[in-house]
Amino acid sequence: MKWVKLALVCVFAVLLFSGVLNPILAHISDKNWLSGYLTDKGYVGYSLIVLASFALVAAGGPKQVVAFVFGYVYGPIVGTIVTLLVCLVAALANYMVARVLLTHTLARFFPLRMNKFNQFASRAPFMKILMLRLLPVGSNLVTNILSGSVCVPLWAFITASVIGYLPQTLIFALVGHGINGADHAMIYISIGLSLLSFILTALIYRDHLKYKLSTLQVEGKAS
């Protein structure tokens, strides 16, 4: 299996650095260019767009752009599913690289940041990663790398990522498809998910602040 993984990495690296994916990355948000490209390239074009999207997200690019593209190419439902798969595979790639290769290096150069993230994520890791995914700001790449470096449980990382990615992914897939032509039910679902994400984020963050406050009070009594 190791040689298969190595071969896939080499193929992807060759495609990326040979310039095959460069025009896609440069025009990934241009609907007219994408239409012409897919008409000309067919199934090869679809495959390369998936690879380019993976490269973009794995490098820390905005997943919203990917959702917009796949919403346009596949429609809101399939586009949301494909985007979630691309984002999840990219997040797992970052997580595993950090866990296997970067843990000691990051601990040496960024000990304070890693310790701070470890304290944050060690209690209720699923809820903490979910909060970071639901927030409309912040870097997914940093979250992925730090999660792998401090060994956040893999299942909590995966499930929180999928659930947390869903609201924004669906919204931007709808925008890419053309929100005027979208099913009203899909629009209401996306609005509901957005409101739910804000409520969940607020509740998780409030719980985290209460825990921090109780910790400070205990430390104050102990001293």
Side-chain angles (χ1 to χ4, degrees), residues 130-193:
L130 178 61
M131 183 183 78
L132 293 174
R133 296 308 195 198
L134 290 171
L135 287 172
V137 296
S139 171
N140 278 292
L141 178 61
V142 172
T143 298
N144 298 338
I145 291 175
L146 289 177
S147 296
S149 299
V150 304
C151 295
V152 169
L154 183 59
W155 182 245
F157 178 80
I158 292 173
T159 52
S161 296
V162 172
I163 297 171
Y165 284 150
L166 181 58
Q168 287 190 52
T169 299
L170 179 56
I171 290 169
F172 281 88
L174 280 168
V175 173
H177 175 65
I179 200 164
N180 291 330
D183 188 335
H184 287 176
M186 293 294 295
I187 297 174
Y188 295 143
I189 289 171
S190 67
I191 293 172
L193 286 173

Side-chain angles (χ1 to χ4, degrees), residues 24 38 81 161:
I24 302 174
L38 292 173
I81 294 171
S161 296

Side-chain angles (χ1 to χ4, degrees), residues 30-46:
D30 186 339
K31 283 188 173 183
N32 294 327
W33 187 89
L34 282 174
S35 294
Y37 183 82
L38 292 173
T39 300
D40 182 50
K41 300 294 184 179
Y43 290 111
V44 174
Y46 284 98

Side-chain angles (χ1 to χ4, degrees), residues 9 18 26 30 40 47 50 66 74-75 83-84 93 99 107 109 122 138 155-156 161 184 188-189 194 210:
V9 171
S18 66
D30 186 339
D40 182 50
S47 301
V50 171
V66 175
Y74 296 113
T83 302
L84 286 175
R99 187 165 183 167
F109 288 102
S122 59
W155 182 245
S161 296
H184 287 176
Y188 295 143
I189 289 171
S194 299
K210 287 173 65 177

Side-chain angles (χ1 to χ4, degrees), residues 75-159:
I77 297 177
V78 177
T80 297
I81 294 171
V82 175
T83 302
L84 286 175
L85 288 173
V86 169
C87 291
L88 181 60
V89 172
L92 282 172
N94 295 149
Y95 176 97
M96 294 307 299
V97 167
R99 187 165 183 167
V100 175
L101 301 177
L102 300 180
T103 299
H104 298 299
T105 302
L106 291 173
R108 186 171 60 192
F109 288 102
F110 306 101
L112 294 177
R113 186 162 192 177
M114 284 190 66
N115 184 55
K116 187 176 180 180
F117 186 84
N118 188 37
Q119 290 179 352
F120 170 78
S122 59
R123 177 178 172 270
F126 170 82
M127 300 302 288
K128 298 301 175 57
I129 299 301
L130 178 61
M131 183 183 78
L132 293 174
R133 296 308 195 198
L134 290 171
L135 287 172
V137 296
S139 171
N140 278 292
L141 178 61
V142 172
T143 298
N144 298 338
I145 291 175
L146 289 177
S147 296
S149 299
V150 304
C151 295
V152 169
L154 183 59
W155 182 245
F157 178 80
I158 292 173
T159 52

